[in-house]
Structure formats: structure tokens, C-alpha cells
């Protein structure tokens, strides 16, 4: 059961609900968001159902939810969550938001050339990482805070919010002090300490799907963030590992409509990390728009042959412009503008 408190309900009303739950041998998990407080009730279902929750002071409604992911489920919140990032609405049924930029920030020139070009072609959010999760410990690991400073400058210059990955719970405060959106990458989807930490800071979080994660596991990861009080979560499908080796991953396009039915959170697709090859990015991006995603996130590099990370999947600036035109046409066909 989820107990949704009224907007004006105070601490005392929340404490009374918790006390009531405890009196019947159950427990309450409080998630205090920006707009409202919600309480997840765990314990004996029968006993919880017997309480006339909606008659208790400060309670707006009580919603029975059977899934282990409760707060993020559609049952709990039938309407879509829309996340406003510096005026860009993510999750609105009539918008398709394109996030683009380099996989990693490598230099000022590389970042600024890319940001200017993608902005001009119609991207609304910039990507660029300061910390990179690399398979080899000897590969380029990112420029760290210097990259965040460059992103901060690029945001001002091109009037674009930016998203950056955070790998380590110890860096959450640092990344959160610069970025408009924090990203938890595929390798960290099950890093519960990191999920809790990003759940305790105020910036929206992009949560990538673990490459071996089921939708249930992915939604439970989102629940970790939500439960800590951060209700602004964007799910990103980025391909999963299957028996197929022809592409870097297999884009699970089915996940998009399924997630939309199971949860109320915005869903994006990353066609770059899914396909892993430049020539697959545009077709997968069009598929994402057609299947009902709320946006895409795309790797772009002015000189991919010199890229320190993921050059083979980065679009050239002119490829990106072409892709934007094609994706916009598909988005318009399904009632969304880019
Ligand atoms: C990325 O977006 O740069 C990234 C590392 O992606 P993933 O976590 O999906 O591999
Ligand atoms: Mn990458």
C-alpha cells in the first residue's frame, strides 16, 4: 500500500501514519519529495488494508500496489511524470527531447565545437562525461572536475542544460554541484549505495538499464532513488547483452512501451551505446521515436577517429544534423515535436 499525503500535510501527520503502521506491526518508508510526501507501507497486507487510511488526517489517498517497485509504478501514479530541466520538459507526451554531445569531454575545443553544432541542429540537452567507466583500467578515465568546469562554460555559452555521469558515491556532491542531470550508467544500475546517494541530492537522475537487468530489476533500482526523496528519474534503455554479437548490444525496443505501462517515469533510448556503430545510430534513433520514447541520447564527436572513448559509435557533426531531420519527421508522425 502507498499512502499519499496531502500537499499541506505536516510532519505530525506523517508521524501519525507511521505510528499507525507500527501499531499494526508494519513499517512505513517515507519518501519526501519536492512536492509531496509518500509513504510505502510494508507488512501484513490484510492488516494494512483494514485501516481506513483516507479517513486519517493529512492523508490524500491510499493506493494498493502489489509490485516490489511501488513508488515508480503506474498503479501508484497514473499520470506521466514530467521533469523540467531549465525549461526543457522531459516526459511530456508531445515532446521528443534530444540529448547529444561527446561521450567524454576531452578538451575545450572538442566540447565547444560539438555543443555548438548539436545545439544548432536541434539538440536541447548537452551530454559530456567527466568520469568514464572503462573496461580497462589503463583507458582514458575522464578529466574529472576540469571537464565539469568546461561543461559549465558550455552551458552558459550555448544555453543548454547538461547531463554527466557519476560513478562514485563520493563524487555525487561534486557532480550535482555542476550538472543539471546526473547519470547512473549501466555498470552501476545495481550499485545501491550510489542509487541512494543520487536519491538524496536535488538534481534529476538518468538511470541507464543494466546490460543484464530485467525490467523488474531496473524499476527496483529506480525505486531506490525515489524512496530517498528524488522523484525526478529518467529511465534510459541502452541495449542489453544477448547471444547476438553483431552489434555492441541488442536494443530492447520492447522495453519502451512496457516501461511506459509499468511505470510513470520518462523513458529515453541511447542508440549509440546500444548499436555501438555509427551506421546503426540513426535507424535505432528513428525506432525510438516511433515506439514512443520521450527522447534519445546520442554520442557526437567532431573528429571521431581521434576520440579517446567510443569513437566508432560517435556521429560526425553533419551526420547528427541529418539524423535530427529524420528523427524529427518520425517524432512529428507520432505527435511529438523535437
Ligand atoms: C555513456 O553513456 O557514456 C555510457 C558509459 O553508457 P552506458 O553506461 O550505457 O554504457
Ligand atoms: Mn560512451
Amino acid at each position: 500500500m502507498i499512502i499519499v499525503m496531502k500537499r499541506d500535510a505536516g510532519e505530525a501527520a506523517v508521524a501519525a501514519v507511521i505510528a499507525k503502521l507500527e501499531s499494526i506491526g508494519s513499517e512505513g518508508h517515507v519518501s519526501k519529495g519536492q512536492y509531496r510526501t509518500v509513504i510505502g507501507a510494508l507488512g501484513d497486507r490484510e492488516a494494512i488494508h483494514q485501516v481506513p487510511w483516507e479517513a486519517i488526517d493529512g492523508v490524500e489517498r491510499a493506493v494498493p500496489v502489489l509490485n516490489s517497485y511501488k513508488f515508480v509504478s503506474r498503479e501508484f501514479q497514473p499520470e506521466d511524470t514530467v521533469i523540467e530541466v531549465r525549461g526543457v520538459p522531459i516526459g511530456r507526451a508531445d515532446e521528443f527531447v534530444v540529448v547529444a554531445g561527446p561521450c567524454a569531454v576531452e578538451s575545450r575545443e572538442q566540447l565547444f565545437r560539438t555543443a555548438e553544432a548539436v545545439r544548432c541542429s536541434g539538440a536541447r540537452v548537452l551530454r559530456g562525461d567527466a568520469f568514464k567507466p572503462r573496461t580497462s583500467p589503463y583507458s582514458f578515465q575522464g578529466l574529472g572536475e576540469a571537464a565539469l568546469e568546461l561543461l559549465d562554460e558550455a552551458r552558459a555559452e550555448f544555453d543548454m542544460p547538461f547531463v554527466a555521469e557519476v560513478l562514485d558515491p563520493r563524487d555525487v556532491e561534486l557532480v550535482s554541484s555542476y550538472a543539471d542531470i546526473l547519470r547512473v550508467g549501466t555498470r552501476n544500475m545495481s550499485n545501491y549505495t550510489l542509487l541512494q546517494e543520487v536519491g538524496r541530492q536535488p538534481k534529476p537522475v538518468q538511470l541507464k538499464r543494466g546490460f543484464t537487468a530485467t525490467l523488474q530489476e531496473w524499476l527496483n533500482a529506480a525505486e531506490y532513488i525515489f524512496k530517498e526523496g528524488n522523484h525526478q528519474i529518467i529511465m534510459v534503455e541502452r541495449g542489453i547483452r544477448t547471444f547476438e554479437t553483431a552489434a555492441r548490444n541488442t536494443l530492447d525496443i520492447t522495453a519502451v512501451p512496457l516501461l511506459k505501462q509499468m511505470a510513470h517515469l520518462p523513458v529515453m533510448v541511447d542508440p549509440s551505446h546500444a548499436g555501438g556503430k555509427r551506421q546503426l545510430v540513426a535507424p535505432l534513433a528513428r525506432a525510438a521515436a516511433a515506439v514512443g520514447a520521450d527522447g534519445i541520447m546520442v554520442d557526437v564527436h567532431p573528429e571521431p577517429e581521434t576520440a579517446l572513448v567510443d569513437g566508432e559509435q560517435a556521429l560526425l557533426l553533419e551526420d547528427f544534423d541529418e539524423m535530427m531531420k529524420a528523427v524529427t519527421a518520425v517524432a512529428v508522425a507520432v505527435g511529438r515535436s523535437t
Side-chain angles (χ1 to χ4, degrees):
M1 183 81 85
I2 290 190
I3 299 152
V4 184
M5 302 304 290
K6 289 184 178 148
R7 275 186 182 232
D8 58 1
E11 298 286 340
V14 173
V17 169
I18 301 293
K20 182 75 198 165
L21 280 166
E22 286 170 0
S23 77
I24 55 168
S26 300
E27 25 168 342
H29 292 270
V30 179
S31 175
K32 203 167 170 25
Q34 206 178 342
Y35 302 112
R36 62 182 173 188
T37 297
V38 291
I39 302 165
L42 288 185
D44 177 359
R45 281 194 59 217
E46 274 313 306
I48 294 171
H49 277 250
Q50 304 250 314
V51 178
W53 293 108
E54 287 167 14
I56 294 176
D57 210 29
V59 173
E60 185 178 289
R61 62 197 163 96
V63 194
V65 178
L66 296 178
N67 307 315
S68 52
Y69 52 93
K70 295 184 182 302
F71 294 137
V72 303
S73 73
R74 254 308 159 196
E75 286 161 284
F76 163 56
Q77 182 187 303
E79 64 278 7
D80 290 338
T81 287
V82 178
I83 299 169
E84 290 274 343
V85 185
R86 289 185 187 255
V88 180
I90 301 174
R92 232 171 73 177
D94 58 353
E95 301 257 0
F96 188 79
V97 175
V98 178
V99 180
C103 182
V105 176
E106 297 168 14
S107 69
R108 190 172 197 283
E109 202 224 336
Q110 172 245 19
L111 176 65
F112 277 54
R113 270 178 75 191
T114 312
E116 183 175 24
V118 299
R119 174 81 170 113
C120 208
S121 300
R124 295 168 78 186
V125 179
L126 180 64
R127 69 154 288 157
D129 286 342
F131 299 99
K132 293 306 303 176
R134 305 306 301 280
T135 303
S136 162
Y138 306 113
S139 301
F140 174 62
Q141 306 281 317
L143 298 177
E145 189 168 1
L148 295 169
E149 274 163 13
L150 290 172
L151 285 157
D152 178 43
E153 265 186 67
R155 165 172 56 204
E157 175 99 10
F158 305 109
D159 188 27
M160 290 173 97
F162 76 85
V163 54
E165 176 155 358
V166 59
L167 291 177
D168 186 325
R170 293 167 297 189
D171 293 328
V172 168
E173 205 178 325
L174 173 73
V175 180
S176 175
S177 72
Y178 285 95
D180 300 290
I181 306 173
L182 271 58
R183 194 173 68 254
V184 173
T186 192
R187 295 163 183 81
N188 271 316
M189 191 211 80
S190 309
N191 181 340
Y192 301 115
T193 315
L194 180 63
L195 296 174
Q196 285 171 330
E197 216 50 56
V198 297
R200 292 178 190 140
Q201 59 76 51
K203 302 288 178 69
V205 177
Q206 266 188 336
L207 177 62
K208 286 194 142 185
R209 180 181 186 177
F211 55 78
T212 61
T214 63
L215 297 193
Q216 175 111 15
E217 289 160 343
W218 188 13
L219 287 167
N220 274 295
E223 188 81 6
Y224 266 92
I225 300 173
F226 197 114
K227 183 174 162 288
E228 294 305 315
N230 189 343
H231 300 178
Q232 305 190 91
I233 307 162
I234 303 156
M235 306 296 275
V236 184
E237 163 60 41
R238 48 79 72 203
I240 50 174
R241 201 167 268 187
T242 67
F243 52 81
E244 183 54 74
T245 53
R248 186 174 180 182
N249 293 286
T250 299
L251 178 62
D252 180 9
I253 207 78
T254 315
V256 178
L258 271 174
L259 267 193
K260 286 274 178 192
Q261 285 158 27
M262 296 161 90
H264 53 80
L265 302 171
V267 182
M268 283 191 164
V269 167
D270 176 343
S272 307
H273 289 81
K277 293 190 171 111
R278 185 165 310 125
Q279 67 274 22
L280 293 175
V281 176
L284 297 181
R286 295 196 302 270
V291 83
D294 296 301
I296 48 172
M297 179 164 67
V298 180
D299 282 10
V300 181
H301 198 291
E303 290 163 18
E305 65 285 1
T306 69
L308 298 176
V309 194
D310 286 349
E312 59 290 357
Q313 71 193 31
L315 293 183
L316 292 151
L317 307 183
E318 55 274 23
D319 294 343
F320 178 75
D321 191 61
E322 208 172 293
M323 185 217 70
M324 269 306 292
K325 292 193 179 96
V327 164
T328 300
V330 177
V332 168
V334 298
R336 293 177 184 257
S337 56
T338 52

